[in-house]
Amino acid sequence: MEELLYKSTRSFQAPVKASEAILKGLSEDGGLFVPEKIPTLDVSLEKLSRMSYKEVAYEVMKLFLTDFTEEELKGCIERAYDEKFDTELIAPLTEAEGAYYLELFHGATIAFKDMALSILPHLMITSARKNNVKNDIVILTATSGDTGKAALAGFAGVEGTKIIVFYPKHGVSPIQEKQMVTQKGENTYVVGITGNFDDAQTGVKQLFSDKELEKEMAAAGFQFSSANSINIGRLVPQIVYYVYAYTRLLAGGKLGEGEQMNVVVPTGNFGNILAAFYAKNMGLPIAKLICASNDNKVLYDFFATGTYDKNREFVLTSSPSMDILISSNLERLIYRIAGNDADKNAALMAALSGEGRYEITSEMKAQLSDFFGGYASEEETAATIKRIYEACGYVIDTHTAVAATVYEKYKAKTQDGLKTVIASTASPFKFTRSVMNAIDVKYDAWDDFALVDELSKLANVDVPGAIEEIRTAPIVHDKVCDKEEMKAVVKEFLKLA
């Protein structure tokens, strides 16, 4: 197979192999790694429709990770998609109100981040061996709620790694926080920061580009890598489930081969919908990519105007994983519509870093016709949860409800009747209070775990193991710091101070 190399979105430096891009996480110039070209699916959709999730994963990922042997890649896939998931299907589809909900929350931490973060540690350790890396890999990540726990669960106890997670102390749900601060494992470290997710993410990026810290770490036998969605090792596994979803609809006679479908994705950091865009460019018959935002509608405004502007009030919503004003993965799309021009992209990213905004040209905007941007208010999100529950007994979480709301608006505006897959990115059990309040305000007075049990009855679904295990779990991590103290905290954990 022809080797696929990866280049930076911000410079014309020499491209690197997939394993090198996974290890680095972020390019030295601050850019993100993108494939030199998007490969085309080389197995028919009909043939893929007869394969399991693991088999589909191999057929998609082999095209992107060309320096992995078949044995290495299949080994990573086998170890990732095992009994950690509560269904052999890995990502089942549920039909409700005429749409197909792609349930991406059946992994260890009941959110879609498990789909990629269950395989990333194996890709990373394999990459380290392939590149003769002797240092311990220190995973440094910022989370708006779900990435943190999924990364912790993936890397806990993995030899040759340590993981440090920063999260906004008052910007995640109680269940999300409990999941993180009860994480076991001597190689894990969780820190709340007195700021929002963008503060945490900016701080992590600064640490990655700190050359003095890099030297200190190297001398002590450490090197940074990233588990955030900017890592290409996160993005490639996400492409798989869109291909899988289409082929399940094909297998079930819901779609004819080659018939198009729409995809709706609740979006904060843009990685999940970018994966769908990559799947489309591989030849998957996707028509519209419907980008759903909450009240932090920076992406909605971008698709409407061509101007990306983070200079606005940061809103804390009931869908906290989307409470983001800097959508890091959008850079990969900007680079592409800029004609793969690293200088042009770097100038736009410098404007974002400096003035907090940039504007794309009309020629670039014309290339975004595959996308439709929409947003849902808090009231609309809650109303959608209640409506779908009352209509068919199906309970969705707040992020999925943002997507479902935007899909209804899209249909009303366009009368588009194509079959549509909605990415259901988290279990309702992860956001029980918001979900139960949406169904009936009487639940507001209830205790968190009483709500969990009531939700189980209402939805006729067992309480996930991820929730059961934190009911009585002791707090292991209670560190809180200001955003300016992040470097000192990292040095303390690595005993560099």
Side-chain angles (χ1 to χ4, degrees), residues 206-239:
Q206 285 168 350
L207 290 171
F208 266 105
S209 57
D210 188 323
K211 297 298 177 193
E212 180 193 327
L213 180 60
E214 186 182 348
K215 279 182 199 156
E216 281 184 70
M217 287 177 60
F222 298 120
Q223 70 185 62
F224 277 144
S225 192
S226 166
N228 271 65
S229 60
I230 52 175
N231 192 313
I232 200 73
R234 277 277 304 275
L235 188 60
V236 170
Q238 290 181 279
I239 300 167

Side-chain angles (χ1 to χ4, degrees), residues 25-88:
L26 198 64
S27 175
E28 287 93 342
D29 52 40
L32 309 189
F33 287 111
V34 288
E36 289 196 309
K37 66 174 187 187
I38 308 263
T40 304
L41 286 168
D42 63 354
V43 177
S44 74
L45 294 168
E46 194 278 326
K47 190 172 179 185
L48 289 167
S49 74
R50 300 196 303 273
M51 294 184 184
S52 68
Y53 190 90
K54 290 179 189 176
E55 289 168 332
V56 172
Y58 175 72
E59 294 301 336
V60 173
M61 292 174 66
K62 74 178 187 189
L63 301 172
F64 285 93
L65 309 181
T66 55
D67 65 326
F68 283 67
T69 66
E70 180 176 348
E71 184 184 10
E72 285 170 340
L73 185 51
K74 283 185 172 173
C76 290
I77 290 166
E78 196 60 44
R79 290 192 292 277
Y81 303 111
D82 57 11
E83 66 281 350
K84 291 190 291 292
F85 288 80
D86 64 18
T87 166
E88 278 186 39

Side-chain angles (χ1 to χ4, degrees), residues 135-206:
N135 287 342
D136 275 10
I137 306 291
V138 179
I139 301 298
L140 185 65
T141 198
T143 184
S144 56
D146 288 336
T147 289
K149 174 59 183 179
L152 288 161
F155 282 93
V158 174
E159 202 174 326
T161 71
K162 293 183 183 296
I163 176 164
I164 306 170
V165 171
F166 289 99
Y167 74 97
K169 176 65 185 160
H170 303 293
V172 300
S173 81
I175 298 274
Q176 284 177 314
E177 183 171 43
K178 189 94 188 275
Q179 282 187 301
M180 287 189 281
V181 299
T182 57
Q183 176 66 51
K184 297 178 192 149
E186 286 183 13
N187 67 331
T188 67
Y189 199 48
V190 180
V191 186
I193 72 156
T194 52
N196 60 36
F197 169 71
D198 289 330
D199 294 325
Q201 183 165 255
T202 300
V204 163
K205 283 184 174 176
Q206 285 168 350

Side-chain angles (χ1 to χ4, degrees), residues 331-351:
E331 179 171 346
R332 287 186 164 109
L333 181 65
I334 297 298
Y335 173 77
R336 184 183 172 92
I337 63 174
N340 297 336
D341 186 327
D343 290 340
K344 195 184 282 189
N345 175 70
L348 292 170
M349 295 307 124

Side-chain angles (χ1 to χ4, degrees), residues 3 18 28 43 70 90 128 134 137 145-146 152 174 181 187 212 280 294 303 319 374 406 443 448 455 462 485 487:
E3 186 167 50
E28 287 93 342
V43 177
E70 180 176 348
I90 307 298
K134 301 289 187 277
I137 306 291
D146 288 336
L152 288 161
V181 299
N187 67 331
E212 180 193 327
K280 177 181 169 86
N294 63 15
F303 283 115
S319 46
V406 169
Y443 292 118
D448 278 324
L455 173 55
D462 290 341
E485 298 172 310
K487 180 174 178 177

